[in-house]
Amino acid sequence: MDDRSAASRPRRGPHRDPEAHAAVLAATRELVAELGYKGVTMDRIASRAGVARMTVYRWWPNKAAVITEAVADRLAPGPAPDTGDVREDALLWLRNLVRTLTLLGDPSVVTGALTERGEAGRADLRDLLKAHSEPASLLLRDGVARGGLPQDAPLEAIVDSWVGYVVYRTVFLGQEIADADLLDLVRLLPPAPGAAGAGAG
């Protein structure tokens, strides 16, 4: 077999047509919003996108992989809030974390899509939570520097407790977290030096 005959064969593999690729991701986001994570199937994605079922399977191994890519740009953390008030900043950050883990109103979308991909998905979830923790650590350090928190405040433990609370409630219990719950978390912050306490909101 010479190079000319090899070059004349139809191209196979993961090469993606940009328009079809975009259509699949758009269809996936629509279906997740309408049906929730469990209601989405590869067949429904293909039908909504107007592409062959095997096209979707050629580019992604399962619906978890498609959904992960479809919502990836909406999972990235924003910059650390900086209102000048560490407690208000903390509340804003907590709201953003809850919005991320309940993307499209369903906590199973993010966690299901990530964890069903096995170890790679669990690693992505760990990376996601770590990325969201960094702005929280920054806003707490700024709070210490501005005198809103004591110098010996256990910042790392505070951030870990916030992430753990939100993940436990949304992912494992499937419960909605109200703003009042987040305010309670913020009120647990140690008071500023010389102050009796402080509240957010």
Side-chain angles (χ1 to χ4, degrees):
M1 181 182 296
D2 60 24
D3 291 340
R4 287 176 299 173
S5 61
S8 66
R9 291 199 305 267
R11 185 184 181 95
R12 299 180 62 85
H15 177 70
R16 301 178 181 183
D17 172 78
E19 291 186 5
H21 180 234
V24 169
L25 296 182
T28 301
R29 286 188 288 269
E30 291 173 3
L31 288 168
V32 169
E34 295 170 13
L35 306 175
Y37 181 79
K38 292 181 180 178
V40 177
T41 65
M42 296 290 266
D43 285 344
R44 283 175 169 159
I45 291 172
S47 177
R48 177 68 63 90
V51 302
R53 179 173 179 268
M54 289 312 299
T55 296
V56 181
Y57 271 109
R58 186 166 66 247
W59 296 342
W60 295 277
N62 50 51
K63 74 171 185 179
V66 188
I67 293 175
T68 298
E69 183 171 342
V71 302
D73 62 335
R74 303 176 65 177
L75 299 180
D82 187 12
T83 65
D85 181 333
V86 65
R87 287 162 177 79
E88 184 64 27
D89 290 343
L91 181 59
L92 292 172
W93 178 85
L94 283 163
R95 287 171 176 163
N96 182 63
L97 180 62
V98 171
R99 278 194 299 269
T100 299
L101 292 181
T102 56
L103 190 63
L104 302 175
D106 185 350
S108 70
V109 173
V110 174
T111 56
L114 292 173
T115 57
E116 284 190 21
R117 289 170 49 229
E119 182 53 39
R122 288 189 289 272
D124 284 347
L125 181 58
R126 289 193 298 269
D127 290 344
L128 172 69
L129 295 175
K130 180 180 178 181
H132 278 266
S133 296
E134 290 172 0
S137 298
L138 176 59
L139 72 87
L140 291 179
R141 290 196 299 271
D142 286 346
V144 171
R146 292 168 175 166
L149 293 173
Q151 293 287 334
D152 60 352
L155 305 186
E156 184 174 341
I158 290 170
V159 174
D160 287 346
S161 69
W162 286 348
V163 172
Y165 174 87
V166 172
V167 170
Y168 177 67
R169 287 282 303 275
T170 59
V171 176
F172 293 99
L173 299 184
Q175 295 178 348
E176 180 180 351
I177 299 181
D179 220 46
D181 299 321
L182 301 182
L183 281 166
D184 286 341
L185 284 181
V186 174
R187 291 189 182 106
L188 293 175
L189 283 172

